[in-house]
Amino acid sequence: QVQLVESGGGLVQAGGSLRLSCAASGRAFSSWAMGWFRQAPGKEREFVASISWSVLYTYYADSVKGRFAISGDNAKNTVWLQMSSLKPEDTAVYYCAARGRPSGLETYPHESDYDYWGRGTQVTVSS
């Protein structure tokens, strides 16, 4: 059983920053990619960012490009999301995801790209 646990969410004013963390634990597990998604109230879950360990490539949704940065430690199955210049529209539950299936792709923007999911952490940006 692989478990992903997110942390670092909270309440922040517009223009502020937050850093989310996600750690995978459980049976011997090596991920091929990890990503972040988010779901705002009344909306579908959407892609935020992904990182491919095999080709060391990061990929972002247009809405967060230039403001968010994904990074991680593959050996520790840990990924971070540094969020800066936050906007009220960034308010959502943020989910971490990991891919266990082998792949050499650069980008992983679809929910079906991932095999394991965390329970999410709330990020609220006040205006």
Side-chain angles (χ1 to χ4, degrees), residues 35-55:
W36 289 94
F37 287 72
R38 67 186 182 185
Q39 187 168 22
K43 296 186 177 181
E44 295 187 352
R45 188 156 58 182
E46 65 175 4
F47 169 75
V48 175
S50 66
I51 183 166
S52 167
W53 301 128
S54 61
V55 295

Side-chain angles (χ1 to χ4, degrees), residues 63-116:
S63 59
V64 306
K65 200 173 297 182
R67 300 187 299 120
F68 290 10
I70 187 171
S71 60
D73 185 333
N74 187 16
K76 297 181 179 180
N77 281 320
T78 299
V79 67
W80 300 281
L81 184 68
Q82 179 66 47
M83 306 185 295
S84 303
S85 301
L86 283 162
K87 306 175 181 179
E89 51 263 43
D90 294 318
T91 295
V93 177
Y94 284 71
Y95 296 91
C96 172
R99 178 182 177 94
R101 289 164 285 155
S103 174
L105 295 176
E106 293 181 336
T107 65
Y108 298 87
H110 308 292
E111 293 188 35
S112 59
D113 291 331
Y114 299 91
D115 305 299
Y116 306 99

Side-chain angles (χ1 to χ4, degrees), residues 7 15 17 31 82:
S7 61
S17 300
S31 64
Q82 179 66 47

